[in-house]
Amino acid sequence: MLSPEQRAKWRSRLFSVPTLFFLSAVITWPFLAEFEAFEVFYQFSRSHENWELDEIAMLGFNLLIALGLSVWYKSRRIKRLAEYRELERNRADVNARHDPLTGLMNRRAFYEVVENLSAEAQDASGPRYVALVDLDRFKPVNDVHGHAAGDATLIAAAERLREEAGAGGVVARLGGDEFVLVFGPAMDAASVERAARRILRSVEQPIPFNGQSILVGASIGLVQWDQDRGLAEMMRRADHALYQVKAGARGSFAWYDEDADRQSRDRAEIASDLKHAVENHDIVPFFQPIVRIDSSELVGFEVLARWTHPTRGNVPPFVFIEIAEDSGLIGPLGMALLRKACIHAAAWPEELSISFNISPIQFREGALVENVQKVLKETGFKPSRLTIEITESSVIDDFEIARKKIDAFKALGIQIALDDFGTGYSSLACLRSLPFDRLKIDRSFVTDISEQRQSQQIVSGILSLASGLELDVTAEGIETADDLTYLQGLHCSLGQGYFFEKPVPAEQISWLLETEWSDNHVMSQPDVRAAS
C-alpha cells in the first residue's frame, strides 16, 4: 500500500505538464504527422532526459492509454470507410444493372435474371413467353420535339409495359427504343396475345409533353421460351419475329415463324456466299438468242446472269439478283457481268448485238453511264452493238433524271429498251416522256397467246402503239410454234424464247453460229429443241 505522500507524488507526476503534453502528443499523433510531429517529440524527450524510473513507468502507462484510444479511433474510421465503399459499390452495381432513364433493368441485368429463371424452369408447370417491343415513329420525336421529349416518351412507354408483364414477369430496356418482356408463368399463349394487343393500344395513347401530345406506336415479336435452345437463340427468334412485323404491317404483333426464319437464314447465307462469288467473278453470263420473227434471222442475244453454287447448285437469278440489290452488290455484279459479256461478244460477227438488263437500283447509281462507258472502252466492244434494258420502275420516280441518263447512253450510241412493257401502271407516260428505241412485251402476255384472248388484245394494242411511235418490239417467252405463228400474223419484229433456244453459256455460242444459225435460220425441228 502506498502512503498518502506517495500517492500524492504519483498523482502529481501523472497529471504533470510533461506527462499531459506527451499524452496529448500521442493522441494527436495522426493529426500532427503532417506537421513534423516527430521533431516535436524528439525535442520533448531531449528536455526530459533526467526522468526517474517511476516517471518512465508512468509514461508507459499513459502511452498504453493513448495507443488504445488511437486504435479505437482508427478502427472506427476504417469501419466507416468500409461502409462507405460498400454503399458506393452497391450504388454502382445498381447503376450498372438498371437503365438510369426508365429505371428498368438493362440488357446485362435482364440476361442475368433470365439465366436464373432458366435454371429454375425445370420445376415450372408450363411454358413462358417473350415479347420484343420496338417503338414505331420514335426517331421523329427526337428530331421534331427534341431529346427531352424522347426521354419522356421512353419513360411513359416503360411504365405502360410494366403494367402488362404480369405477376413474376420481367421487363427491361435493351437500348434505344427497344424493350423486352418475359411474361409471368401463369400466362398462356392466348393471354400473351391479349397482353400484346393491350400494349399496342396503350403505347398508341398520346403522351403529354410541354402542352403537346406525342404519338408513337409499337411493333411486337412474340416467341415461346424454349429452354433447350438457350437465351441467345430465344432472343434471336424474338428479333426475327419483330423484323417480320416491321417489314410488313407495323403497329401489330407476330409470332416467331420457323419456316420464315429458315428462309431468312438461308437468304443470309446466300448473301454471304454471293459476296464472295462477286469478288471471285463466279457469276457468269448466259446468252439467249433474239431473232427476227418473220425470217428467224439471228440478230443478237440477251445477257442473263447465272450462278452455280458449289453446294447449292444453280441458284435462280430471281433469288440472287434480289439479294444483290438489297445488299448493295448489284452494281459490282452488273458491271462484272457486262464486262464478261462484252469480251465474249466482241469475237462474234459485228451484226450481232447484246441486250443487257439494268436493275432499278443499279439505274439510280450516279456513275452508271460512266461505268458502262468504261467497260466498253476496256473491252473494245462497240456501243452500237449494245442495248440497255430498263424496267418502268427504274424511271417512274423521276422522269427528268431518267431522261438525262437515257440521253447520255444514246449519245454514246447505245440503244435503250423498255423491258416488261404492259406490267406497270404508267407505261404510256414512260413512252411519251422518254426516248426509247424498243419495247419488250412481257412473257406473261406471249406464252400460249394463241389460246389467250385477253393476251391477244393486249399484244395487238402494244404492237399498234409501237408502230405509231416507230419502235421495234421484242416478244419474249415464245414457247411453241403456235405462239410464233400468231405473232407473225401481228407483224411483231423480234422474238426470243425456248422455241428458238434456251439460254446457253458463251462456250456454246460458236457452235450455234456454226450449226443452227450458220445460214441465219433456225434448225428444221425447233419444237424438238424447245422440249429439251
Side-chain angles (χ1 to χ4, degrees), residues 314-373:
N314 293 325
V315 182
F318 70 85
V319 173
F320 71 81
I321 292 296
E322 181 180 346
I323 293 175
E325 290 178 335
D326 293 342
S327 59
L329 293 172
I330 191 63
L333 188 157
M335 289 302 102
L337 194 69
L338 178 61
R339 182 176 288 102
K340 287 185 177 182
C342 289
I343 291 173
H344 291 303
W348 303 339
E350 289 200 0
E351 62 269 17
L352 297 179
S353 64
I354 60 173
S355 295
F356 187 81
N357 291 280
I358 296 292
S359 79
I361 292 179
Q362 190 177 5
F363 186 78
R364 298 186 186 104
E365 293 179 354
L368 175 63
V369 177
E370 291 78 4
N371 290 337
V372 171
Q373 185 179 17

Side-chain angles (χ1 to χ4, degrees), residues 481-502:
D482 290 339
D483 294 342
L484 177 61
T485 300
Y486 192 88
L487 291 169
Q488 287 174 335
L490 294 176
H491 305 290
C492 183
S493 52
L494 303 173
Q496 65 184 93
Y498 275 25
F499 177 78
F500 301 108
E501 187 62 74
K502 61 184 179 181

Side-chain angles (χ1 to χ4, degrees), residues 20-32:
L20 292 176
F21 178 81
F22 180 76
L23 181 61
S24 300
V26 172
I27 294 175
T28 59
W29 180 274
F31 309 102
L32 297 177

Side-chain angles (χ1 to χ4, degrees), residues 382-386 408-415:
K382 292 184 178 180
S384 59
R385 297 177 60 192
L386 175 64
F409 277 128
K410 292 175 72 69
L412 296 175
I414 299 172
Q415 291 194 323

